[in-house]
Amino acid sequence: MVIGLEVHVELSTRTKMFCSCPADFGGEPNTHVCPVCLALPGALPVPNRRAVEFAIRAARALHCEIAAETKFDRKNYHYPDLPKGYQISQYDQPLARNGWLEIETEEGRRRIRIRRLHMEEDAGKSLHGEGDGEATLLDFNRAGVPLVEIVSEPDLRSPEEARAYLEMLRATVFYTGVSDVKMEEGSLRCDANVSIRPRGSSELGVLVEVKNMNSFRAVQRALAYEAERQARALARGERLERETRHWDEARGVTLPGRSKEEVNDYRYFPEPDLVPLRIDPAWVAEIEASLPELPEARLGRYQEAGLAYKEAWTLVAQRELGDFLDATVAAGAPLRQAANWLLGEVSARLNESGRPLAELRLTPAGLAGLVALVEAGTVTPTLAKQVFARMLETGEEPAVIVEREGLVQIRDEAALEAVAERVIEANPKVVADILSGKEKAVAALVGQVMRETRGKANAAKVNEVLRRRLAELRQAEPRG
């Protein structure tokens, strides 16, 4: 299977690509429009410098080379939601080329090449089934919103690899701050070029473009279906058509759209109303210097610290968790222990509440303090969960809660021996089982001691005390 992805990313600029209309998502239909984005006669486009800056920012995060000079072209095609009858895009002089991203695969880490990144404007939106249920209405609010199109080389070999690439691309762009990359709102859209070929062959098969995939899961399902469909067709001796197909999420199938256009069909020519852009290398260097640590680097750092790939990726893909982890480590917590809390109790609480991390009454310093109390043996892991719950309720520091509620761990052997003796006397049947060789029953006595001490006893000490006392009872038994 051979897959190449074309990913469209809407840039989060305040205004559109070639006019001053708002570029916000949504709004009442046709309220974010002007003569330029509606293509009224005499209206002339003016490039949005911020959009160019954002495109450079994304391109450098993807390791692309930035062109010294780039220009805009007209890509001619006719859809009802394209008011100009052409799209201002880039053809032979894209803004950036020759980038790459690394993804994790079953065979290890692989580098996926990025052929080009170019700028263009978005089209409007057709709203089907409106009015009497048969009408198609047009909303041009989206027309002219700045996009970058990121085209990969056909380096992907499975639906799982395509998903991994798309997830890494989304995370990388999100870290740069140039887009919110929300697939559900269309600010990240993916088309896939799919073909199959005999194993070992280097010749590409018939190319089919799959569109209309609006989630990572949809991309993976659509590609798996399309590969199977092509394989079945070839097995029946059928000839595959070069075409565009649409993914039907409800039915789980791809459906024919239209014949796949060739480049010549678009009759590209230079946009006569826009001069070429000369990109100052100093500006590129300034933009690059402002990039944050990117997902690839953060992922590597977490793995070097001992996190498994899935753990590290969870913290990288959800940037707020990764940022919180780094802040907790900066506050003094070991990375491994802080990550355990974020992947465990914190994530569970976020899933349960449906609220973002920023809305929990938890600070990096507070979590670091809780980790320190566990590491010092002041509280048991069981008690630490109680303290954590109280922190979220009150917003108090963990040490304050531990002190006020008397949750300090009991390690004193004399105190534990007293509790253990009471538990042994209260459970003669369990003790008899243990003395007859059922060693696993010791766990029941440990549990009793932990309950009596409200979870404050040191579990290792409890085990030690109980086993010592049971050994004494075993030696005291009359021999037959």
Side-chain angles (χ1 to χ4, degrees):
M1 186 174 188
V2 179
I3 304 168
L5 294 185
E6 298 175 2
V7 180
H8 286 89
V9 176
E10 275 188 2
L11 301 178
S12 300
T13 52
R14 188 175 56 80
T15 57
K16 293 185 179 181
M17 185 69 219
F18 298 112
C19 67
S20 58
C21 288
D24 303 337
F25 173 77
E28 287 296 312
N30 298 312
T31 54
H32 301 169
V33 293
C34 73
V36 174
C37 54
L38 287 178
L40 300 186
L44 293 174
V46 177
N48 183 335
R49 178 184 169 91
R50 188 71 163 166
V52 179
E53 176 192 331
F54 278 10
I56 293 172
R57 194 170 171 80
R60 287 305 300 146
L62 298 170
H63 312 288
C64 291
E65 301 164 3
I66 306 298
E69 181 175 297
T70 185
K71 70 176 176 65
F72 291 100
D73 303 276
R74 290 188 179 182
K75 181 182 181 182
N76 295 277
Y77 61 102
H78 298 280
Y79 285 149
D81 56 14
L82 190 65
K84 296 184 178 72
Y86 60 85
Q87 180 186 31
I88 301 180
S89 181
Q90 296 190 302
Y91 176 46
D92 57 340
Q93 290 182 247
L95 175 74
R97 299 177 191 265
N98 302 329
W100 49 267
L101 272 181
E102 289 190 342
I103 61 169
E104 199 74 16
T105 72
E106 290 184 351
E107 289 78 36
R109 188 163 289 194
R110 279 190 57 213
R111 180 168 290 190
I112 307 301
R113 295 170 297 160
I114 293 171
R115 182 182 299 170
R116 58 185 279 157
L117 177 150
H118 63 257
M119 293 178 290
E120 59 188 26
E121 59 179 344
D122 211 343
K125 189 184 291 184
S126 296
L127 306 171
H128 301 293
E130 300 291 320
D132 58 3
E134 296 180 357
T136 294
L137 304 181
L138 298 172
D139 178 7
F140 292 110
N141 280 353
R142 202 178 65 180
V145 168
L147 296 176
V148 289
E149 181 173 347
I150 302 161
V151 183
S152 81
E153 296 288 354
D155 290 346
L156 299 160
R157 293 293 175 266
S158 70
E160 292 74 24
E161 287 188 9
R163 177 172 182 155
Y165 168 81
L166 194 56
E167 288 180 341
M168 179 59 87
L169 177 63
R170 180 184 184 277
T172 302
V173 173
F174 183 69
Y175 271 55
T176 65
V178 305
S179 175
D180 58 16
V181 285
K182 293 180 178 176
M183 289 190 85
E184 67 277 14
E185 293 184 2
S187 54
L188 179 77
R189 306 197 289 273
C190 173
D191 300 334
N193 292 310
V194 187
S195 64
I196 60 172
R197 63 187 179 191
R199 193 177 296 278
S201 170
S202 58
E203 187 176 343
L204 293 176
V206 175
L207 194 68
V208 171
E209 184 179 29
V210 181
K211 289 178 171 289
N212 205 35
M213 301 169 290
N214 59 4
S215 69
F216 294 129
R217 180 172 176 270
V219 170
Q220 194 169 341
R221 289 181 68 209
L223 294 177
Y225 174 85
E226 184 55 25
E228 181 65 25
R229 184 193 71 81
Q230 292 185 23
R232 285 199 308 269
L234 292 176
R236 291 193 296 266
E238 297 174 9
R239 181 171 171 273
L240 292 172
E241 298 292 332
R242 181 182 168 90
E243 61 179 340
T244 295
R245 299 179 69 88
H246 296 279
W247 170 243
D248 185 324
E249 177 71 23
R251 296 168 59 189
V253 298
T254 62
L255 299 170
R258 62 178 190 273
S259 298
K260 177 83 175 135
E261 293 91 348
E262 303 286 347
V263 169
N264 289 342
D265 293 332
Y266 292 118
R267 295 178 295 112
Y268 279 101
F269 64 86
E271 166 58 59
D273 294 330
L274 292 167
V275 298
L277 300 179
R278 292 190 176 84
I279 309 296
D280 183 352
W283 189 37
V284 175
E286 183 185 327
I287 293 170
E288 185 171 357
S290 70
L291 288 173
E293 181 186 43
L294 295 170
E296 285 177 347
R298 178 176 270 188
L299 183 65
R301 181 161 58 82
Y302 289 171
Q303 288 182 286
E304 284 177 11
L307 301 189
Y309 170 76
K310 284 189 176 177
E311 294 174 321
W313 178 246
T314 298
L315 293 163
V316 170
Q318 300 180 63
R319 186 178 181 182
E320 63 171 359
L321 286 182
D323 289 347
F324 201 96
L325 172 62
D326 288 350
T328 305
V329 171
L335 190 143
R336 171 77 263 180
Q337 284 83 339
N340 286 346
W341 277 97
L342 286 163
L343 294 167
E345 293 297 312
V346 175
S347 291
R349 189 56 66 101
L350 293 174
N351 292 334
E352 179 184 302
S353 67
R355 296 160 59 194
L357 180 55
E359 290 184 11
L360 293 188
R361 301 179 76 175
L362 182 69
T363 63
L367 183 57
L370 182 57
V371 170
L373 290 174
V374 176
E375 292 294 295
T378 305
V379 294
T380 64
T382 303
L383 283 177
K385 292 180 182 177
Q386 291 181 37
V387 176
F388 174 74
R390 294 291 288 155
M391 289 167 68
L392 297 189
E393 290 169 10
T394 65
E396 293 176 308
E397 292 299 313
V400 173
I401 296 169
V402 169
E403 178 67 26
R404 187 185 62 237
E405 301 190 8
L407 298 177
V408 175
Q409 182 173 210
I410 302 172
R411 300 175 65 87
D412 179 74
E413 284 204 15
L416 292 177
E417 282 171 357
V419 179
E421 197 60 40
R422 287 200 301 274
V423 167
I424 285 172
E425 286 177 8
N427 294 276
K429 174 69 170 58
V430 178
V431 172
D433 287 345
I434 297 168
L435 295 181
S436 66
K438 295 179 181 176
E439 282 296 317
K440 289 184 179 177
V442 174
L445 297 182
V446 173
Q448 284 289 337
V449 173
M450 297 305 287
R451 271 191 287 279
E452 285 230 359
T453 59
R454 292 167 49 218
K456 293 193 284 186
N458 179 281
K461 285 280 183 191
V462 170
N463 247 301
E464 185 183 318
V465 166
L466 277 171
R467 289 185 185 280
R468 187 165 63 225
R469 181 58 183 140
L470 289 167
E472 290 170 0
L473 291 175
R474 193 173 285 116
Q475 285 183 350
E477 277 190 324
R479 298 183 183 276

